[in-house]
Amino acid sequence: RKEVEQDPGPFNVPEGATVAFNCTYSNSASQSFFWYRQDCRKEPKLLMSVYSSGNEDGRFTAQLNRASQYISLLIRDSKLSDSATYLCVVNAGNNRKLIWGLGTSLAVNP
Amino acid sequence: NAGVTQTPKFQVLKTGQSMTLQCAQDMNHNSMYWYRQDPGMGLRLIYYSASEGTTDKGEVPNGYNVSRLNKREFSLRLESAAPSQTSVYFCASSEVVDSNQPQHFGDGTRLSIL
């Protein structure tokens, strides 16, 4: 099993739709979780950290399920500008390393 | 608000040539990182510097060297470029190397080795 796994997609959704991505991780000792967004040929940008209690930032909601070892990202009322690749990032247990998923591609269509 | 600045943005080298990728951050961060990103491989850590004066190997350090010149600057050197080093290189920084801290990225260097 890969350390961090994401469905590569692409997810094609109409504007206004709600879409959700999951990301599974293999190291039960992982403590830190992030979602980054990466536009085509650009740098990754932090979208949100994922806390144990879950967190919300506007149209974006992140959840952590430790029992099943996955994190999720929910995007409500999708905008054209949400089209990007969403990277799941998990820390590798007690060390300083971050493990990056390959990303899930989202295309929001008019 | 410069954040993390990388130079150059694009470079083409011939096999065997050397070059240094430059990175500077103005966020007063202690920790800096060099990644490469290849299709189907995701981001892979080459080297990182937890603080000024220290450097450590990441996942794929072979063929690279780094220098943490001061708190702001962290350079990546290819001594003898190989086609396998064709990639997009990203520099990043964080307040500390603790992986609870998010990383902030430069806009990348696109490097082609012929």
Side-chain angles (χ1 to χ4, degrees):
Chain A
R1 180 180 179 186
K2 291 182 181 177
E3 291 180 280
V4 174
E5 288 197 80
Q6 297 183 250
D7 181 343
F11 286 64
N12 285 287
V13 302
E15 269 188 293
T18 295
V19 61
F21 313 133
N22 282 343
C23 165
T24 59
Y25 61 95
S26 62
N27 190 336
S28 61
S30 294
Q31 296 293 325
S32 302
F33 309 90
F34 306 96
W35 284 104
Y36 278 73
R37 167 197 172 122
Q38 186 172 27
D39 294 291
C40 185
R41 299 179 68 78
K42 298 289 185 66
E43 75 276 21
K45 292 183 179 178
L46 178 68
L47 181 64
M48 56 200 310
S49 303
V50 186
Y51 304 120
S52 297
S53 56
N55 48 306
E56 185 173 316
D57 182 1
R59 298 181 293 108
F60 299 85
T61 300
Q63 296 282 350
L64 167 63
N65 185 316
R66 287 193 185 276
S68 300
Q69 293 183 209
Y70 73 87
I71 63 172
S72 63
L73 178 68
L74 180 78
I75 306 174
R76 290 182 298 278
D77 188 23
S78 299
K79 311 292 184 189
L80 296 177
S81 57
D82 293 334
S83 297
T85 297
Y86 291 83
L87 303 173
C88 167
V89 189
V90 177
N91 85 320
N94 291 329
N95 68 26
R96 298 166 168 179
K97 187 179 170 188
L98 288 177
I99 309 296
W100 294 76
L102 298 184
T104 296
S105 175
L106 172 66
V108 180
N109 304 306
Chain B
N1 293 346
V4 180
T5 303
Q6 291 184 234
T7 55
K9 294 196 183 327
F10 302 94
Q11 185 70 49
V12 178
L13 294 177
K14 294 181 179 178
T15 298
Q17 286 185 314
S18 62
M19 82 161 293
T20 300
L21 308 185
Q22 306 288 351
C23 175
Q25 52 90 10
D26 63 2
M27 295 177 283
N28 201 34
H29 284 171
N30 289 295
S31 304
M32 298 184 73
Y33 313 82
W34 276 105
Y35 289 92
R36 60 178 290 175
Q37 187 175 35
D38 303 289
M41 299 293 288
L43 279 161
R44 291 183 292 169
L45 183 64
I46 304 171
Y47 271 93
Y48 69 97
S49 170
S51 60
E52 186 178 354
T54 69
T55 61
D56 285 286
K57 294 179 180 179
E59 189 182 350
V60 289
N62 291 345
Y64 305 96
N65 286 302
V66 290
S67 295
R68 183 72 184 268
L69 304 170
N70 49 54
K71 189 172 185 179
R72 290 187 63 248
E73 298 173 288
F74 188 37
S75 62
L76 178 72
R77 183 163 178 82
L78 286 70
E79 290 291 352
S80 178
S84 61
Q85 294 178 304
T86 293
S87 188
V88 180
Y89 291 84
F90 289 106
C91 177
S93 70
S94 63
E95 287 190 25
V96 292
V97 77
D98 183 341
S99 57
N100 290 316
Q101 295 288 322
Q103 296 176 8
H104 303 268
F105 285 78
D107 54 10
T109 296
R110 283 148 186 82
L111 182 62
S112 293
I113 316 295
L114 305 178

